[in-house]
Amino acid sequence: MANHKSALKRNKQSIVRRDRNTQARSTMRTMVKNVRLAVAEQNKDAATAALTQAVPYIDKMATRGIIHKATASRKISRLTKLVNTLA
């Protein structure tokens, strides 16, 4: 356990940030799942709408450093390719 005042503060900050990042990552995964479900149901309108909502959020996660930028790019690419199979 941390003994110095600054170390205690750092510990509190890391706990808050971990919780925030976990929540954001969970939201991102839900958005990805919504796109995949819409594609599985062959619903092009819903899939496109879910994709347009998911892409900026995934980019934001990469900008904030919650996921790597290459991971974000890969996720976006694969989801877009998946939605385009409905065309």
Side-chain angles (χ1 to χ4, degrees):
M1 185 62 195
N3 292 322
H4 297 284
K5 197 172 182 181
S6 60
L8 289 169
K9 179 179 177 181
R10 211 65 170 124
N11 194 35
K12 282 188 216 170
Q13 286 177 330
S14 67
I15 290 168
V16 168
R17 288 178 181 147
R18 185 186 70 220
D19 290 343
R20 191 181 308 134
N21 291 345
T22 303
Q23 186 271 336
R25 195 177 295 115
S26 174
T27 302
M28 181 190 68
R29 288 177 179 154
T30 303
M31 288 182 172
V32 169
K33 185 174 76 173
N34 289 340
V35 173
R36 293 187 185 280
L37 286 173
V39 170
E41 294 170 356
Q42 298 291 313
N43 190 344
K44 185 169 174 53
D45 294 333
T48 307
L51 181 69
T52 55
Q53 187 181 20
V55 168
Y57 196 82
I58 294 171
D59 276 333
K60 192 184 289 185
M61 294 302 99
T63 303
R64 291 179 179 173
I66 295 172
I67 59 172
H68 195 271
K69 65 179 184 176
T71 304
S73 179
R74 185 177 65 246
K75 283 183 182 298
I76 291 169
S77 175
R78 288 180 181 173
L79 286 175
T80 305
K81 192 172 160 185
L82 187 66
V83 171
N84 287 341
T85 60
L86 294 176

Coordinates of all heavy atoms in Angstrom, one line a residue:
M1 N 0.8 -1.2 0.0 CA 0.0 0.0 0.0 C 0.9 1.2 0.0 O 2.0 1.3 0.6 CB -0.9 0.0 1.2 CG -1.9 1.1 1.3 SD -3.1 1.0 -0.1 CE -3.8 2.6 0.0
A2 N 0.4 2.3 -0.6 CA 1.1 3.5 -0.7 C 1.3 4.2 0.6 O 0.3 4.2 1.4 CB 0.5 4.4 -1.7
N3 N 2.4 4.8 0.9 CA 2.6 5.5 2.2 C 2.7 7.0 2.0 O 2.4 7.7 3.0 CB 4.0 5.0 2.8 CG 3.8 3.5 3.2 OD1 2.8 3.1 3.7 ND2 4.9 2.8 3.0
H4 N 3.2 7.5 0.9 CA 3.3 8.9 0.7 C 2.0 9.5 0.2 O 1.2 8.9 -0.4 CB 4.4 9.2 -0.3 CG 5.7 8.8 0.2 ND1 6.5 9.5 1.1 CD2 6.5 7.7 -0.2 CE1 7.6 8.8 1.3 NE2 7.6 7.8 0.5
K5 N 1.8 10.8 0.6 CA 0.6 11.5 0.2 C 0.4 11.5 -1.3 O -0.7 11.2 -1.8 CB 0.7 12.9 0.7 CG -0.6 13.7 0.7 CD -0.5 15.0 1.4 CE -1.8 15.7 1.5 NZ -1.6 17.0 2.2
S6 N 1.5 11.7 -2.1 CA 1.4 11.7 -3.6 C 1.0 10.3 -4.1 O 0.3 10.2 -5.1 CB 2.6 12.3 -4.2 OG 3.7 11.4 -3.8
A7 N 1.6 9.3 -3.5 CA 1.3 7.9 -3.9 C -0.1 7.5 -3.6 O -0.7 6.8 -4.4 CB 2.3 7.0 -3.2
L8 N -0.7 8.0 -2.5 CA -2.1 7.7 -2.2 C -3.0 8.4 -3.2 O -3.9 7.8 -3.7 CB -2.4 8.2 -0.8 CG -1.8 7.5 0.4 CD1 -2.0 8.2 1.7 CD2 -2.5 6.1 0.5
K9 N -2.6 9.6 -3.6 CA -3.4 10.3 -4.6 C -3.3 9.6 -5.9 O -4.3 9.5 -6.6 CB -2.9 11.8 -4.7 CG -3.7 12.6 -5.8 CD -3.2 14.0 -5.9 CE -3.9 14.7 -7.0 NZ -3.5 16.1 -7.1
R10 N -2.1 9.2 -6.3 CA -1.9 8.5 -7.6 C -2.8 7.2 -7.6 O -3.3 6.9 -8.6 CB -0.4 8.2 -7.7 CG 0.0 8.1 -9.1 CD -0.1 9.5 -9.7 NE 0.6 9.6 -10.9 CZ 0.1 9.9 -12.1 NH1 -1.2 10.3 -12.1 NH2 0.8 9.9 -13.2
N11 N -2.8 6.5 -6.5 CA -3.6 5.3 -6.4 C -5.1 5.6 -6.6 O -5.7 4.8 -7.3 CB -3.3 4.6 -5.0 CG -3.8 3.2 -5.0 OD1 -3.7 2.5 -6.0 ND2 -4.3 2.8 -3.9
K12 N -5.6 6.6 -6.0 CA -7.0 7.0 -6.2 C -7.3 7.4 -7.6 O -8.3 7.0 -8.2 CB -7.3 8.2 -5.3 CG -7.6 7.9 -3.8 CD -8.1 9.1 -3.1 CE -7.6 9.3 -1.7 NZ -7.9 10.6 -1.1
Q13 N -6.4 8.1 -8.2 CA -6.5 8.5 -9.6 C -6.6 7.3 -10.5 O -7.4 7.2 -11.5 CB -5.4 9.4 -10.1 CG -5.5 10.8 -9.5 CD -4.3 11.7 -9.9 OE1 -3.2 11.2 -10.1 NE2 -4.6 13.0 -10.0
S14 N -5.7 6.4 -10.3 CA -5.7 5.2 -11.2 C -6.9 4.3 -11.0 O -7.4 3.8 -12.0 CB -4.4 4.3 -10.9 OG -4.5 3.7 -9.6
I15 N -7.5 4.3 -9.8 CA -8.7 3.5 -9.6 C -9.9 4.2 -10.4 O -10.7 3.5 -11.1 CB -9.1 3.4 -8.1 CG1 -8.1 2.5 -7.4 CG2 -10.5 3.0 -7.9 CD1 -8.1 2.5 -5.9
V16 N -10.0 5.5 -10.3 CA -11.0 6.3 -11.0 C -10.9 6.1 -12.5 O -11.8 5.8 -13.2 CB -11.0 7.8 -10.6 CG1 -11.9 8.6 -11.5 CG2 -11.4 7.9 -9.2
R17 N -9.7 6.2 -13.0 CA -9.4 6.1 -14.4 C -9.7 4.7 -14.9 O -10.2 4.5 -16.0 CB -8.0 6.5 -14.8 CG -7.8 8.0 -14.6 CD -6.4 8.4 -14.9 NE -6.3 9.9 -14.7 CZ -5.2 10.5 -14.3 NH1 -4.1 9.9 -14.0 NH2 -5.2 11.8 -14.2
R18 N -9.3 3.7 -14.1 CA -9.6 2.3 -14.5 C -11.1 2.1 -14.7 O -11.5 1.5 -15.7 CB -9.0 1.3 -13.5 CG -9.1 -0.1 -14.0 CD -8.7 -1.1 -12.9 NE -9.7 -1.1 -11.8 CZ -9.3 -1.1 -10.5 NH1 -8.1 -1.2 -10.1 NH2 -10.3 -1.1 -9.6
D19 N -11.9 2.6 -13.7 CA -13.3 2.4 -13.8 C -13.9 3.1 -15.0 O -14.8 2.6 -15.7 CB -14.0 3.0 -12.5 CG -13.7 2.1 -11.3 OD1 -13.3 0.9 -11.5 OD2 -13.9 2.6 -10.2
R20 N -13.4 4.3 -15.3 CA -13.9 5.1 -16.4 C -13.5 4.4 -17.8 O -14.4 4.3 -18.7 CB -13.3 6.5 -16.4 CG -13.9 7.4 -17.4 CD -13.3 8.8 -17.4 NE -13.2 9.4 -16.1 CZ -12.1 10.0 -15.6 NH1 -11.0 10.1 -16.3 NH2 -12.1 10.5 -14.4
N21 N -12.3 3.9 -17.8 CA -11.9 3.2 -19.0 C -12.7 1.9 -19.2 O -13.0 1.5 -20.4 CB -10.4 2.9 -19.0 CG -9.5 4.1 -19.1 OD1 -10.0 5.2 -19.5 ND2 -8.3 4.0 -18.8
T22 N -12.9 1.2 -18.2 CA -13.7 -0.1 -18.2 C -15.1 0.2 -18.7 O -15.6 -0.5 -19.6 CB -13.8 -0.7 -16.8 OG1 -12.5 -1.0 -16.4 CG2 -14.5 -2.0 -16.9
Q23 N -15.7 1.3 -18.3 CA -17.1 1.6 -18.7 C -17.1 2.0 -20.2 O -17.9 1.6 -20.9 CB -17.6 2.8 -17.9 CG -19.0 3.2 -18.1 CD -19.2 4.2 -19.2 OE1 -18.3 5.0 -19.5 NE2 -20.4 4.2 -19.8
A24 N -16.1 2.8 -20.6 CA -16.0 3.2 -22.0 C -15.7 2.0 -22.9 O -16.3 1.9 -24.0 CB -14.9 4.2 -22.2
R25 N -14.9 1.1 -22.5 CA -14.6 -0.1 -23.3 C -15.8 -1.0 -23.4 O -16.1 -1.5 -24.5 CB -13.5 -0.9 -22.7 CG -12.8 -1.9 -23.6 CD -11.7 -2.6 -22.9 NE -10.5 -1.8 -22.7 CZ -10.1 -1.4 -21.5 NH1 -10.7 -1.9 -20.4 NH2 -9.1 -0.6 -21.4
S26 N -16.6 -1.1 -22.3 CA -17.8 -1.9 -22.3 C -18.9 -1.3 -23.3 O -19.5 -2.0 -24.1 CB -18.4 -1.9 -20.9 OG -19.7 -2.5 -20.9
T27 N -19.0 0.1 -23.3 CA -19.9 0.8 -24.2 C -19.5 0.5 -25.7 O -20.3 0.2 -26.5 CB -19.9 2.3 -23.9 OG1 -20.3 2.5 -22.6 CG2 -20.9 3.0 -24.8
M28 N -18.2 0.5 -25.9 CA -17.7 0.3 -27.3 C -18.0 -1.1 -27.7 O -18.5 -1.3 -28.8 CB -16.2 0.5 -27.3 CG -15.6 0.3 -28.7 SD -13.8 0.2 -28.7 CE -13.5 -1.3 -27.8
R29 N -17.8 -2.1 -26.8 CA -18.1 -3.5 -27.2 C -19.6 -3.7 -27.4 O -20.0 -4.4 -28.3 CB -17.7 -4.4 -26.0 CG -16.2 -4.5 -26.0 CD -15.8 -5.4 -24.8 NE -14.3 -5.5 -24.8 CZ -13.6 -5.8 -23.7 NH1 -14.2 -5.9 -22.5 NH2 -12.3 -5.9 -23.7
T30 N -20.5 -3.0 -26.7 CA -21.9 -3.0 -26.9 C -22.3 -2.5 -28.3 O -23.1 -3.0 -29.0 CB -22.7 -2.2 -25.8 OG1 -22.3 -2.8 -24.6 CG2 -24.2 -2.3 -26.0
M31 N -21.6 -1.4 -28.7 CA -21.9 -0.8 -30.0 C -21.5 -1.8 -31.1 O -22.2 -1.9 -32.1 CB -21.2 0.5 -30.1 CG -21.8 1.6 -29.3 SD -20.9 3.2 -29.6 CE -21.9 4.3 -28.7
V32 N -20.3 -2.4 -30.9 CA -19.9 -3.4 -31.9 C -20.9 -4.5 -32.0 O -21.2 -5.0 -33.1 CB -18.4 -3.9 -31.6 CG1 -18.0 -5.1 -32.4 CG2 -17.4 -2.7 -31.7
K33 N -21.3 -5.0 -30.8 CA -22.3 -6.1 -30.8 C -23.6 -5.7 -31.5 O -24.2 -6.5 -32.2 CB -22.6 -6.5 -29.4 CG -23.5 -7.7 -29.2 CD -23.6 -8.1 -27.8 CE -24.5 -7.2 -27.0 NZ -24.8 -7.6 -25.6
N34 N -24.0 -4.4 -31.4 CA -25.3 -4.0 -32.0 C -25.1 -4.0 -33.6 O -26.1 -4.4 -34.3 CB -25.6 -2.6 -31.6 CG -26.1 -2.5 -30.2 OD1 -26.5 -3.5 -29.6 ND2 -26.0 -1.4 -29.5
V35 N -23.9 -3.7 -34.0 CA -23.7 -3.7 -35.5 C -23.8 -5.2 -35.9 O -24.4 -5.5 -36.9 CB -22.3 -3.1 -35.9 CG1 -22.0 -3.3 -37.3 CG2 -22.3 -1.6 -35.5
R36 N -23.1 -6.1 -35.2 CA -23.1 -7.5 -35.6 C -24.5 -8.1 -35.5 O -24.8 -8.9 -36.4 CB -22.1 -8.2 -34.7 CG -20.7 -7.9 -34.9 CD -19.7 -8.7 -34.2 NE -18.3 -8.3 -34.3 CZ -17.6 -8.6 -35.4 NH1 -18.0 -9.2 -36.4 NH2 -16.3 -8.1 -35.4
L37 N -25.3 -7.7 -34.6 CA -26.6 -8.3 -34.5 C -27.5 -7.8 -35.6 O -28.3 -8.6 -36.2 CB -27.3 -7.8 -33.1 CG -26.8 -8.6 -31.9 CD1 -27.4 -7.9 -30.6 CD2 -27.1 -10.0 -31.9
A38 N -27.3 -6.5 -36.0 CA -28.1 -6.0 -37.1 C -27.7 -6.7 -38.4 O -28.6 -7.0 -39.2 CB -27.9 -4.5 -37.2
V39 N -26.5 -7.0 -38.6 CA -26.0 -7.7 -39.8 C -26.5 -9.1 -39.8 O -27.0 -9.7 -40.8 CB -24.5 -7.7 -39.9 CG1 -24.0 -8.6 -41.0 CG2 -24.0 -6.3 -40.2
A40 N -26.5 -9.8 -38.6 CA -27.0 -11.1 -38.5 C -28.5 -11.2 -38.8 O -29.0 -12.2 -39.3 CB -26.8 -11.7 -37.1
E41 N -29.3 -10.2 -38.5 CA -30.7 -10.1 -38.8 C -31.0 -9.6 -40.2 O -32.1 -9.5 -40.6 CB -31.4 -9.2 -37.8 CG -31.4 -9.7 -36.4 CD -31.9 -8.6 -35.4 OE1 -32.1 -7.5 -35.8 OE2 -32.0 -8.9 -34.2
Q42 N -29.9 -9.4 -41.0 CA -30.0 -8.9 -42.4 C -30.7 -7.6 -42.5 O -31.4 -7.3 -43.5 CB -30.7 -10.0 -43.3 CG -30.0 -11.3 -43.4 CD -28.7 -11.2 -44.1 OE1 -28.7 -10.6 -45.2 NE2 -27.6 -11.7 -43.6
N43 N -30.6 -6.7 -41.5 CA -31.3 -5.4 -41.4 C -30.3 -4.4 -41.8 O -29.5 -3.9 -41.0 CB -31.8 -5.2 -40.0 CG -32.7 -4.0 -40.0 OD1 -32.7 -3.1 -40.9 ND2 -33.5 -3.9 -38.9
K44 N -30.3 -4.0 -43.1 CA -29.2 -3.0 -43.6 C -29.4 -1.7 -43.0 O -28.3 -1.1 -42.6 CB -29.3 -2.9 -45.1 CG -28.2 -2.1 -45.7 CD -28.2 -2.2 -47.2 CE -27.2 -1.2 -47.8 NZ -25.9 -1.3 -47.3
D45 N -30.6 -1.2 -42.8 CA -30.8 0.2 -42.2 C -30.3 0.2 -40.8 O -29.6 1.2 -40.4 CB -32.2 0.6 -42.3 CG -32.8 0.7 -43.7 OD1 -31.9 1.0 -44.6 OD2 -34.0 0.6 -43.9
A46 N -30.6 -0.7 -40.0 CA -30.2 -0.8 -38.6 C -28.7 -1.0 -38.5 O -28.0 -0.3 -37.7 CB -30.9 -1.9 -37.8
A47 N -28.1 -1.8 -39.4 CA -26.7 -2.0 -39.4 C -25.9 -0.8 -39.7 O -24.9 -0.4 -39.1 CB -26.3 -3.2 -40.4
T48 N -26.4 0.0 -40.7 CA -25.7 1.2 -41.2 C -25.8 2.3 -40.0 O -24.9 3.0 -39.8 CB -26.4 1.8 -42.4 OG1 -26.4 0.7 -43.4 CG2 -25.7 2.9 -43.0
A49 N -27.0 2.3 -39.4 CA -27.2 3.3 -38.3 C -26.3 3.0 -37.1 O -25.6 3.8 -36.6 CB -28.6 3.3 -37.9
A50 N -26.2 1.7 -36.8 CA -25.3 1.2 -35.7 C -23.9 1.5 -36.0 O -23.1 1.9 -35.2 CB -25.6 -0.2 -35.4
L51 N -23.5 1.3 -37.3 CA -22.1 1.5 -37.7 C -21.7 3.0 -37.6 O -20.6 3.3 -37.1 CB -21.9 1.0 -39.1 CG -20.5 1.1 -39.7 CD1 -19.5 0.2 -38.9 CD2 -20.4 0.9 -41.2
T52 N -22.6 3.9 -38.1 CA -22.3 5.3 -38.0 C -22.2 5.8 -36.6 O -21.6 6.8 -36.3 CB -23.4 6.1 -38.8 OG1 -24.7 5.8 -38.3 CG2 -23.4 5.8 -40.3
Q53 N -22.9 5.1 -35.7 CA -22.8 5.4 -34.2 C -21.5 4.9 -33.6 O -20.8 5.5 -32.8 CB -24.0 4.9 -33.5 CG -24.1 5.4 -32.1 CD -25.3 4.8 -31.4 OE1 -25.9 3.8 -31.8 NE2 -25.7 5.4 -30.3
A54 N -21.1 3.7 -34.1 CA -19.9 3.0 -33.5 C -18.6 3.5 -33.9 O -17.7 3.6 -33.1 CB -20.0 1.5 -33.8
V55 N -18.5 3.9 -35.2 CA -17.2 4.3 -35.7 C -16.6 5.5 -35.0 O -15.4 5.5 -34.6 CB -17.3 4.6 -37.3 CG1 -16.1 5.3 -37.8 CG2 -17.5 3.3 -38.0
P56 N -17.3 6.6 -34.8 CA -16.7 7.8 -34.1 C -16.4 7.4 -32.6 O -15.4 7.9 -32.1 CB -17.8 8.9 -34.1 CG -18.8 8.4 -35.0 CD -18.7 7.0 -35.3
Y57 N -17.2 6.5 -32.0 CA -16.9 6.1 -30.6 C -15.6 5.3 -30.6 O -14.8 5.5 -29.7 CB -18.1 5.3 -30.1 CG -18.0 5.3 -28.6 CD1 -18.5 6.3 -27.8 CD2 -17.5 4.2 -27.9 CE1 -18.4 6.3 -26.4 CE2 -17.4 4.1 -26.5 CZ -17.9 5.1 -25.8 OH -17.8 5.1 -24.4
I58 N -15.4 4.4 -31.5 CA -14.2 3.6 -31.5 C -13.0 4.5 -31.8 O -11.9 4.4 -31.1 CB -14.3 2.5 -32.6 CG1 -15.3 1.5 -32.3 CG2 -12.9 1.8 -32.8 CD1 -15.7 0.5 -33.4
D59 N -13.1 5.5 -32.7 CA -12.0 6.5 -32.9 C -11.7 7.3 -31.6 O -10.6 7.5 -31.3 CB -12.4 7.5 -34.0 CG -12.1 6.9 -35.4 OD1 -11.2 6.1 -35.5 OD2 -12.8 7.3 -36.3
K60 N -12.8 7.6 -30.9 CA -12.6 8.4 -29.6 C -11.8 7.5 -28.6 O -11.0 8.1 -27.9 CB -13.9 8.8 -29.1 CG -13.8 9.8 -28.0 CD -15.2 10.2 -27.4 CE -16.0 11.0 -28.4 NZ -17.3 11.4 -27.8
M61 N -12.1 6.2 -28.6 CA -11.4 5.4 -27.6 C -9.9 5.3 -28.0 O -9.1 5.3 -27.1 CB -12.0 4.0 -27.7 CG -13.4 3.8 -27.1 SD -13.6 4.4 -25.5 CE -14.3 6.1 -25.7
A62 N -9.6 5.3 -29.2 CA -8.2 5.3 -29.7 C -7.5 6.6 -29.3 O -6.4 6.6 -28.9 CB -8.1 5.0 -31.2
T63 N -8.2 7.7 -29.5 CA -7.7 9.0 -29.2 C -7.4 9.2 -27.7 O -6.4 9.7 -27.3 CB -8.7 10.1 -29.6 OG1 -9.0 10.0 -31.0 CG2 -8.1 11.5 -29.4
R64 N -8.2 8.6 -26.9 CA -8.1 8.7 -25.4 C -7.1 7.7 -24.9 O -6.7 7.7 -23.8 CB -9.4 8.4 -24.7 CG -10.4 9.6 -24.9 CD -11.7 9.2 -24.2 NE -12.6 10.3 -24.4 CZ -13.9 10.3 -24.0 NH1 -14.3 9.2 -23.4 NH2 -14.7 11.3 -24.2
G65 N -6.6 6.8 -25.8 CA -5.6 5.8 -25.4 C -6.2 4.6 -24.7 O -5.5 3.8 -24.1
I66 N -7.5 4.4 -24.8 CA -8.1 3.2 -24.1 C -7.9 2.0 -24.9 O -7.6 0.9 -24.4 CB -9.6 3.5 -23.9 CG1 -9.8 4.6 -22.9 CG2 -10.3 2.2 -23.4 CD1 -11.2 5.1 -22.8
I67 N -7.8 2.1 -26.3 CA -7.4 1.0 -27.2 C -6.4 1.6 -28.1 O -6.3 2.8 -28.3 CB -8.6 0.4 -28.0 CG1 -9.3 1.5 -28.8 CG2 -9.6 -0.3 -27.1 CD1 -10.3 0.9 -29.8
H68 N -5.5 0.7 -28.7 CA -4.5 1.2 -29.6 C -5.1 1.6 -30.9 O -6.2 1.1 -31.3 CB -3.5 0.0 -29.9 CG -2.3 0.4 -30.5 ND1 -2.1 0.5 -31.9 CD2 -1.1 0.8 -30.0 CE1 -0.9 0.8 -32.1 NE2 -0.2 1.1 -31.0
K69 N -4.5 2.6 -31.6 CA -5.0 3.1 -32.8 C -5.1 2.1 -33.9 O -6.1 2.1 -34.7 CB -4.3 4.3 -33.3 CG -2.8 4.1 -33.7 CD -2.2 5.3 -34.2 CE -0.8 5.0 -34.8 NZ -0.1 6.2 -35.3
A70 N -4.2 1.1 -33.9 CA -4.3 0.0 -34.9 C -5.5 -0.9 -34.6 O -6.2 -1.4 -35.6 CB -3.0 -0.7 -35.0
T71 N -5.8 -1.1 -33.4 CA -6.9 -1.9 -33.0 C -8.2 -1.2 -33.4 O -9.1 -1.9 -33.9 CB -6.9 -2.1 -31.5 OG1 -5.7 -2.7 -31.1 CG2 -8.1 -3.0 -31.0
A72 N -8.3 0.1 -33.2 CA -9.4 0.8 -33.6 C -9.6 0.8 -35.1 O -10.7 0.5 -35.6 CB -9.3 2.3 -33.2
S73 N -8.6 0.9 -35.8 CA -8.6 0.9 -37.3 C -9.1 -0.5 -37.8 O -9.9 -0.6 -38.7 CB -7.2 1.2 -37.9 OG -7.3 1.2 -39.3
R74 N -8.6 -1.5 -37.2 CA -8.9 -2.9 -37.5 C -10.4 -3.2 -37.3 O -11.1 -3.7 -38.1 CB -8.1 -3.9 -36.8 CG -8.3 -5.3 -37.2 CD -7.3 -6.3 -36.5 NE -7.6 -6.3 -35.0 CZ -6.7 -5.8 -34.1 NH1 -5.6 -5.3 -34.5 NH2 -7.0 -5.9 -32.8
K75 N -10.9 -2.7 -36.1 CA -12.3 -2.9 -35.7 C -13.2 -2.2 -36.7 O -14.2 -2.8 -37.2 CB -12.6 -2.4 -34.3 CG -12.1 -3.3 -33.2 CD -12.5 -2.7 -31.9 CE -12.0 -3.6 -30.7 NZ -12.6 -4.9 -30.7
I76 N -12.9 -0.9 -37.0 CA -13.7 -0.2 -37.9 C -13.7 -0.8 -39.3 O -14.8 -0.9 -40.0 CB -13.2 1.3 -38.0 CG1 -13.5 2.0 -36.7 CG2 -13.8 2.1 -39.2 CD1 -12.8 3.3 -36.5
S77 N -12.5 -1.2 -39.8 CA -12.4 -1.8 -41.1 C -13.3 -3.1 -41.2 O -14.0 -3.3 -42.2 CB -11.0 -2.2 -41.4 OG -10.8 -2.9 -42.6
R78 N -13.2 -4.0 -40.2 CA -13.9 -5.2 -40.2 C -15.4 -5.0 -40.1 O -16.2 -5.7 -40.8 CB -13.4 -6.1 -39.1 CG -12.0 -6.7 -39.4 CD -11.6 -7.6 -38.3 NE -10.2 -8.1 -38.6 CZ -9.5 -8.8 -37.7 NH1 -9.9 -9.1 -36.5 NH2 -8.3 -9.2 -38.1
L79 N -15.8 -4.0 -39.3 CA -17.3 -3.8 -39.2 C -17.8 -3.2 -40.5 O -18.9 -3.6 -40.9 CB -17.5 -2.8 -38.0 CG -17.4 -3.3 -36.6 CD1 -17.6 -2.2 -35.6 CD2 -18.4 -4.4 -36.4
T80 N -17.1 -2.3 -41.1 CA -17.5 -1.7 -42.4 C -17.6 -2.8 -43.4 O -18.6 -2.8 -44.2 CB -16.5 -0.6 -42.8 OG1 -16.4 0.4 -41.7 CG2 -17.0 0.1 -44.0
K81 N -16.6 -3.6 -43.5 CA -16.7 -4.7 -44.4 C -17.9 -5.6 -44.2 O -18.5 -6.1 -45.2 CB -15.3 -5.5 -44.3 CG -15.0 -6.5 -45.4 CD -13.6 -7.0 -45.2 CE -13.4 -8.3 -45.9 NZ -12.1 -8.9 -45.6
L82 N -18.2 -5.9 -42.9 CA -19.3 -6.7 -42.6 C -20.6 -6.1 -43.0 O -21.5 -6.8 -43.6 CB -19.3 -7.0 -41.1 CG -20.3 -8.0 -40.5 CD1 -20.0 -9.4 -41.0 CD2 -20.3 -7.9 -39.0
V83 N -20.8 -4.8 -42.8 CA -22.0 -4.1 -43.2 C -22.1 -4.1 -44.7 O -23.2 -4.2 -45.2 CB -22.1 -2.7 -42.6 CG1 -23.2 -1.9 -43.1 CG2 -22.2 -2.8 -41.0
N84 N -21.0 -3.9 -45.4 CA -21.0 -3.8 -46.8 C -21.4 -5.1 -47.5 O -21.8 -5.2 -48.7 CB -19.7 -3.4 -47.4 CG -19.5 -1.9 -47.1 OD1 -20.4 -1.1 -46.9 ND2 -18.2 -1.4 -47.2
T85 N -21.4 -6.2 -46.8 CA -21.8 -7.5 -47.3 C -23.3 -7.6 -47.5 O -23.8 -8.4 -48.3 CB -21.3 -8.7 -46.4 OG1 -21.9 -8.6 -45.1 CG2 -19.8 -8.8 -46.3
L86 N -24.0 -6.7 -46.8 CA -25.5 -6.7 -47.0 C -25.9 -6.0 -48.2 O -27.1 -6.1 -48.6 CB -26.1 -5.9 -45.8 CG -26.0 -6.6 -44.4 CD1 -26.5 -5.7 -43.3 CD2 -26.6 -7.9 -44.4
A87 N -25.1 -5.3 -48.9 CA -25.4 -4.5 -50.1 C -25.8 -5.4 -51.2 O -25.5 -6.5 -51.4 CB -24.3 -3.6 -50.5

